[in-house]
Amino acid sequence: MGSLGSCTVVKEYEKVNLNDPDMVLGTKAIDRFEVNAQAYREAASGANGGKTGGGCGCN
Amino acid sequence: MKYSISLFIILFSAAVFAQDSTSIYKKRVLEAAEVDFLTSYYSQDGDNAAVSGGIGTEKLTNFTPTIVVAIPLNDDDVLTIDAGVSAYTSASSSNIDPFDGDGPADPYVASSGASASDLLASANFSYSHSSDDRNNIVSAKVSVSSEYDYFSLGFGGSYTKLFNEKNTEISVQANVYLDTWQLLYPIELRESPTFNELDKKNRNSYSLGFGFSQILSKNIQGSLSLDLVQQQGLLSTPFQRVYFSDLPDRFRENFHLADDIERLPETRFKTAIGGRLNFFINETFVLRTFYRYYFDDWGINSHTASVEIPIKISDRFTLYPSYRFYNQTAADYFQPYNTALSTDEFYTSDYDLSEFSANQYGFGVSYTDIFTKFKLWHFGLKSIDVKYNYYKRDSGLNYNLISAGFKFVRN
């Protein structure tokens, strides 16, 4: 929790772990189909990089 | 005076040299062109088809070959073209006309007519520009998609600002989709003298999104996002049947003839608030988490939570086990099969708008070759991703989804 509350700036050379492809703050390219299927089958959408409504016959 | 002029020339030269240096050593936003071949196969089953008013087969398959090409136009600008098709077969859509098959019409049996399959073609073009210091990014996009009974034109833009030594990022994006339906009604209603046809066939969607992300430590970063969406126009689906409990039931063969199609309000306002938190545990494990709260003015509230734990088992292979939980309350207008009232203003028996919970289990494998040894023309294979998801609702619907992606980079 200490690190969560910290306001310390992480320098570029300290971002090795943060730059790992699995640390990206979003969905990966292959996940687009999963997000799209959920947009069709569920009422909720948005806030995840996928469709928010419109552009498809989905909810 | 002579000394001052010399000093000015030296400083001016230094400044010019510094600018040249910046332009020479500026890292390209995208080093080389990238091509992603993406595809998926989706197979769904269930017994609550909206086309037949909340009963009947929901069998559906979908195949989606897609190509995404990202081209660096110069050091700062990237053009991305994303094009694909979605070919599907749908048992419930085939029952828009259930009487054109070989056997007796039945909501639990697919018909074989023209509505049994369709092809959606789509293309997105996006252009992004990054400032020299990479702290400002603007982008614009245009999209178009078309299938037999649906056409969509979309456009939008975004602005992203990084600061605090790129530890903090804020963004705003806006999108507009202008969609048009071809009004395709259930076959038995097309000649009905009492059926009131829809007076709109357009659906406009306007979305505004805000994003905030923050590096919290050398191993943790998170983000918050807010999406606001206003939709107007035809928000019901023209071929989804509704049966009224206060009217006598009528059958032809084994098929319950529709009393009406679903009727839904012509406006809907959606709000989605999401958060992500990613934790680099060590060289082997990463923890990826996501939560979203959603609500709209149709009475739907929803929670979504997911977790994924990438496991690096070698330099080249990573495993991706994942779990996702979803639930939602029902829309105010949802009525199960044959329970709506003819006196109601709005009604639907689409179980996608019912109350339910769903669990999804996923597993993926990724192969990465940073040396891109395998070549295809001028491109080297950088990574292969394969993922499987199994999704099940507590109301019965389930689907299997297999996705694959091949990333190539220009050498």
Side-chain angles (χ1 to χ4, degrees), chain B residues 42-69:
Chain B
Y42 173 93
S43 176
Q44 168 193 296
D45 200 4
D47 290 323
N48 297 112
V51 173
S52 35
I55 59 167
T57 177
E58 292 180 274
K59 279 186 180 169
L60 185 150
T61 62
N62 190 28
F63 175 59
T64 57
T66 307
I67 183 170
V68 182
V69 182

Side-chain angles (χ1 to χ4, degrees), chain B residues 90-305:
Chain B
S90 168
S92 65
S93 291
S94 77
N95 283 329
I96 294 172
D97 181 359
F99 308 110
D100 59 359
D102 297 330
D106 189 306
Y108 290 96
V109 177
S111 181
S112 55
S115 301
S117 62
D118 201 354
L119 192 72
L120 166 72
S122 64
N124 295 277
F125 304 87
S126 65
Y127 178 90
S128 72
H129 172 79
S130 299
S131 63
D132 286 346
D133 61 8
R134 305 297 184 239
N135 284 333
N136 297 276
I137 303 165
V138 293
S139 71
K141 70 174 184 179
V142 176
S143 65
V144 61
S145 65
S146 177
E147 61 184 305
Y148 177 73
D149 63 338
Y150 202 81
F151 179 81
S152 173
L153 179 66
F155 47 91
S158 68
Y159 172 68
T160 302
K161 172 76 176 174
L162 294 91
F163 52 95
N164 195 22
E165 295 190 43
K166 293 184 171 61
N167 277 230
T168 307
E169 179 181 317
I170 56 172
S171 64
V172 59
Q173 61 268 343
N175 290 290
V176 174
Y177 288 100
L178 307 174
D179 302 346
T180 306
W181 287 87
Q182 180 180 327
L183 301 178
L184 199 61
Y185 300 115
I187 189 72
E188 67 271 32
L189 294 177
R190 294 178 196 173
E191 302 299 326
S192 170
T194 58
F195 175 61
N196 293 319
E197 295 196 17
L198 295 163
D199 58 359
K200 283 190 170 60
K201 60 179 182 179
N202 297 318
R203 170 187 298 179
N204 297 343
S205 302
Y206 310 94
S207 70
L208 189 61
F210 301 92
F212 169 78
S213 68
Q214 177 66 46
I215 290 174
L216 298 169
S217 77
K218 294 174 188 176
N219 296 312
I220 302 174
Q221 58 188 354
S223 66
L224 297 170
S225 55
L226 169 67
D227 276 337
L228 306 171
V229 183
Q230 173 71 37
Q231 291 187 292
Q232 296 173 344
L234 175 57
L235 303 184
S236 55
T237 305
F239 48 78
Q240 295 189 349
R241 292 175 173 84
V242 167
Y243 303 107
F244 296 133
S245 61
D246 55 344
L247 293 181
D249 296 340
R250 298 172 297 123
F251 286 85
R252 180 177 165 193
E253 299 170 359
N254 299 323
F255 202 91
H256 193 168
L257 300 177
D259 291 321
D260 198 3
I261 58 171
E262 71 173 10
R263 306 278 177 178
L264 291 167
E266 293 180 352
T267 62
R268 185 178 181 186
F269 188 79
K270 308 175 177 182
T271 304
I273 304 163
R276 292 185 185 276
L277 191 67
N278 293 348
F279 179 25
F280 189 95
I281 299 171
N282 55 37
E283 298 296 329
T284 302
F285 296 98
V286 171
L287 176 65
R288 294 169 54 80
T289 62
F290 172 70
Y291 170 78
R292 174 182 64 194
Y293 176 63
Y294 167 95
F295 62 96
D296 63 33
D297 59 0
W298 285 9
I300 295 170
N301 287 267
S302 163
H303 298 276
T304 307

